[in-house]
Each structure stands twice: as C-alpha cells, then as structure tokens.
Amino acid sequence: MDPTDGEQACFEAGVKFGTLYHQFAGTPISPESAESLARAIEEAIENQPFCADVTVEMHHDRLREALAEGPGDSEYVELTGRFMDVRIVVERDGVRVRTRMTMQDGYPLMEVVDVANL
Amino acid sequence: MDPTDGEQACFEAGVKFGTLYHQFAGTPISPESAESLARAIEEAIENQPFCADVTVEMHHDRLREALAEGPGDSEYVELTGRFMDVRIVVERDGVRVRTRMTMQDGYPLMEVVDVANL
Amino acid sequence: MDPTDGEQACFEAGVKFGTLYHQFAGTPISPESAESLARAIEEAIENQPFCADVTVEMHHDRLREALAEGPGDSEYVELTGRFMDVRIVVERDGVRVRTRMTMQDGYPLMEVVDVANL
Amino acid sequence: MDPTDGEQACFEAGVKFGTLYHQFAGTPISPESAESLARAIEEAIENQPFCADVTVEMHHDRLREALAEGPGDSEYVELTGRFMDVRIVVERDGVRVRTRMTMQDGYPLMEVVDVANL
C-alpha cells in the first residue's frame, strides 16, 4: 500500500536523524567548541525539507568527564550520541512528528515521541 | 498520539537512508573501487536494527562520464547520490517498508515505495 | 629515515585538512546557515593537536549560484570544496606550516604554502 | 620557505589519514561486515593521488569484546580507531613516506614511520 501522510512524515523525520548523526559524529569537540557545533548542526539540518525545528543540547558535564578519563594532554573528544540530546520536529502534508535522541542503557536511542494532525 | 507500527517502521527506514547517505557521501570512488564500496555499504547498513535488506547499485556509466568531465589526471570522484541507486527494506513489528533513492530532476530523492503488513 | 620536524609538521597539517574536508563535506548548507557552519568547523579543527589557526571562508556567491541551478524548491546544497576556501596553520616542534585549500581547474586543491622555523 | 619534497609527501600522507578516519569513523560494523569494510576503505583511499598502498587490519577480538559490553541485543558498534590498524604508503616526487595508525594509551595515534628517497 502507499504510505499514509503520517508514515511519510515519520520517514522524513528518520532521514533527518540519520543525517544529523552520521554527518557530525566523529567531529572533534571540547567544552569550548560545543556550542558553536550545536548551533551549526541545528541550522544545517533545518535546511532540509519539512524540517520545522531542530534542537541540539550538549552535555558539558559528560564532555568534561570524558576529557578527564583520557590521557593528560587530551583537549578534545570525538562527538558521539553520549554528548548530545537532539529533538527534531518534522511537518509534512498536515502531519507533525516529534522525535528525539537520548541515551538509554548507554546507547543513543532515536525514537518517535508523537504524531499529530495539524 | 503514539506512532503506529507503520509509522515506527517508516521512521526506522528513514534513519537508515540518512545514515547511508551521510556516512558514505564524499568517499573517493572510481570504476575500479565502486563494487567493493557498494558491498561494504550494504553490509554496514544491514547491521542496523530492523534492516532486512539493502541493495546498492553503482552507475558505472555516470562514474566514467564524471571522470571524463574532470581534469586530465582525475582518477576518482567523490561519491554522491548521482552515482548510486539504493533500495532498503525495513521490517518491524509485523510491518514491511520498502524504500528507495533514485535521481529525479538531477537530485537524489529518498522515498517510501510501499508499506505492508507481514 | 626518521621524519624531520618539518615533515612531522606537514603530516599533522595534512591530517587536519583530510579531517576537515571529509567530516563536513555533504553537510546541508544554505546562505543563511553558511556562517554558523564556518565558525563550527574552525572551532572543531582548532581542537586538534598542533593546530594554531583555522580560517573557513564561505563563498556566498557560489552558494546562491548553485541554488539557482537546482530545481525550483531547492533551499540548500551539500557542502563541497567549491563553496569554501580554507587556511590552516600548524605549529609543532618549532616549525610553522601554512596550508590552504582553494579551487583550481574546478577541483579543490589542498597544498602547503610555506614552512618556517619559529 | 617552499616545502621540500619530503614535506610535500608527508602532507599528502596526512591528508589520506584524515580522510580515511573521518570518512569512515561511525560506520556500523560487526565481525561479519568488518572485512568488506576494510577492503572498501583500502580501495577508496588508494584512489587518491600519490597513494601507493593502504592496509586496513580489523581487530575482530576487540569488536567481539565491544559487542559483549553492549546491551544484549547489540549486533554492531560504530567504527573507531580502536577497531583497526592502518598503514598508508605515499610516494611523491621521488620520496616514499610510510605512516601508520595504532592505538596508544587508549587513543588512535597517527604517525610517520619513515621517509625515504626512492
């Protein structure tokens, strides 16, 4: 069967999450550079079709922890899902989908929060 | 509202597409290396949850064209959607979603082909 | 033979360039989001060891041209070397290396500008 | 001063390492898919100018360890330097540079092994 409007919107939301994660994971990041990266990620993904809003929240405490775990001269780590929570809102054909990525059991979990008709 | 099983499956399919594209776009590729990359992409994405099948078909003719357009000593180009068609099948909670990426009007278009109950 | 200090510094400079290009190429970019991405790239790469300075200059004119070439509803393109000039300065063991990436014959060329003892 | 032939060759070698790492880090990998990815990485990077040889050796034992550390249903991890040793040989203008990436103190270290006139 053809996809419903809700299914189409959820597909688009998934594309944005995969894009965001695999474009930016691995970027060198420190507490000092975390916020400029967060803003750039938000603005980059918001360029994509149907993307109404992107929010990236960096966990500065986890960044500092990770740096403290490394060798003495470490000044950065590579970005992974451990260091950011992400929320993406997609709107397409009268449907709004809210999605998020947070850590669960030590792994970043991407999920649909809810689907609503506008 | 909570997402339906179909919406969940479409979200997962979208994540795979965004992952595939933004992980591998930019990889140096030539007619000689195209097939090893296609196989590696298929096997890498099939590792992800709910991913039943991934097929990457490289367009060797477009690769040769792009090399001919470049300066005389070009032996590779960067991978973009122009050079590959992709099909991904996701199965989750009794729903199968078939998706594809092909060129349309000069741009790679990712879309849901159909959604079926298993 | 073991590498000289100049060779070590040039190796480090090359690593930064490869990192910068292949981490960020493919990012969705528009005239509106170009500057936040430029700043994030600069700060991310400056995190890396021996990296004294990174400057990313976006070509807004080429971004607008590329959008005009696309289908009518295009609001972004994928970042490639066509859209940015980059300068990276590396300092290691008393040697300063200046490097740059600019377009040449339609392709982004990364090169060492000069090597100096500090 | 203008770079020497050895410095130019070392810069090229660095570019290859940065490219390799930041293009492929983050790829979903399992013991089953590790070898196809290793071959694809080798062939992709060998496309680049002056790149005489690339060898990627996957650490299957560390992959299995990492999977065992994860939640029960984990079937893959994201590729990082922990899971592969890499050797790259660059030849340019009569100079051969051998480089490698191995784990040192828990971090992937990229380094020049030696520089030789051909």
Side-chain angles (χ1 to χ4, degrees), chain B residues 40, chain D residues 29 33-43 55-58:
Chain D
I29 186 173
S33 72
E35 292 307 313
S36 68
L37 185 58
R39 295 299 85 71
I41 294 174
E42 291 171 349
E43 294 193 18
T55 312
V56 175
E57 190 184 347
M58 292 292 181

Side-chain angles (χ1 to χ4, degrees), chain C residues 45-113:
Chain C
I45 303 300
E46 286 175 356
N47 282 321
Q48 292 198 309
F50 314 115
C51 197
D53 193 53
V54 180
T55 312
V56 175
E57 190 185 346
M58 292 292 180
H59 289 289
H60 286 254
D61 52 339
R62 296 182 195 165
L63 279 172
R64 283 189 300 264
E65 269 171 37
L67 288 173
E69 290 163 12
D73 54 348
S74 278
E75 291 172 7
Y76 72 99
V77 292
E78 297 176 12
L79 180 65
T80 70
R82 172 182 176 191
F83 301 117
M84 59 177 174
D85 286 357
V86 179
R87 291 173 178 276
I88 299 178
V89 180
V90 160
E91 294 178 3
R92 177 175 170 166
D93 294 333
V95 178
R96 173 188 294 142
V97 177
R98 298 194 304 155
T99 58
R100 70 177 168 217
M101 183 182 73
T102 54
M103 291 303 278
Q104 219 140 326
D105 296 326
Y107 279 70
L109 181 71
M110 302 173 186
E111 59 188 337
V112 180
V113 177

Side-chain angles (χ1 to χ4, degrees), chain A residues 23 25 27-28 30 33 36 43 47, chain C residues 23 25 27-28 30 33 36 43 47:
Chain A
Q23 181 65 58
T27 300
S30 64
S33 71
S36 68
E43 293 194 17
N47 282 320
Chain C
Q23 182 65 57
T27 300
S30 64
S33 72
S36 68
E43 293 194 18
N47 282 321

Side-chain angles (χ1 to χ4, degrees), chain B residues 19 22-30 32-34 36-37 39-40 43-45 47-49 75-76, chain D residues 19 22-30 32-34 36-37 39-40 43-45 47-49 75-76:
Chain B
T19 296
H22 288 272
Q23 182 65 57
F24 294 104
T27 300
I29 185 173
S30 64
E32 291 71 33
S33 72
S36 68
L37 184 59
R39 296 299 86 68
E43 293 194 18
I45 302 301
N47 282 321
Q48 293 198 310
E75 291 172 5
Y76 72 99
Chain D
T19 296
H22 288 273
Q23 181 66 58
F24 294 104
T27 300
I29 186 173
S30 64
E32 290 71 33
S33 72
S36 68
L37 185 58
R39 295 299 85 71
E43 294 193 18
I45 303 300
N47 282 321
Q48 293 198 310
E75 291 173 7
Y76 73 99

Side-chain angles (χ1 to χ4, degrees), chain C residues 1-11 92-93 95, chain D residues 4 6-7 10 112 115:
Chain C
M1 287 189 301
D2 286 346
T4 65
D5 289 346
E7 288 165 347
Q8 296 267 28
C10 286
F11 177 73
R92 177 175 170 166
D93 294 333
V95 178
Chain D
T4 65
E7 288 166 347
C10 286
V112 180
V115 180

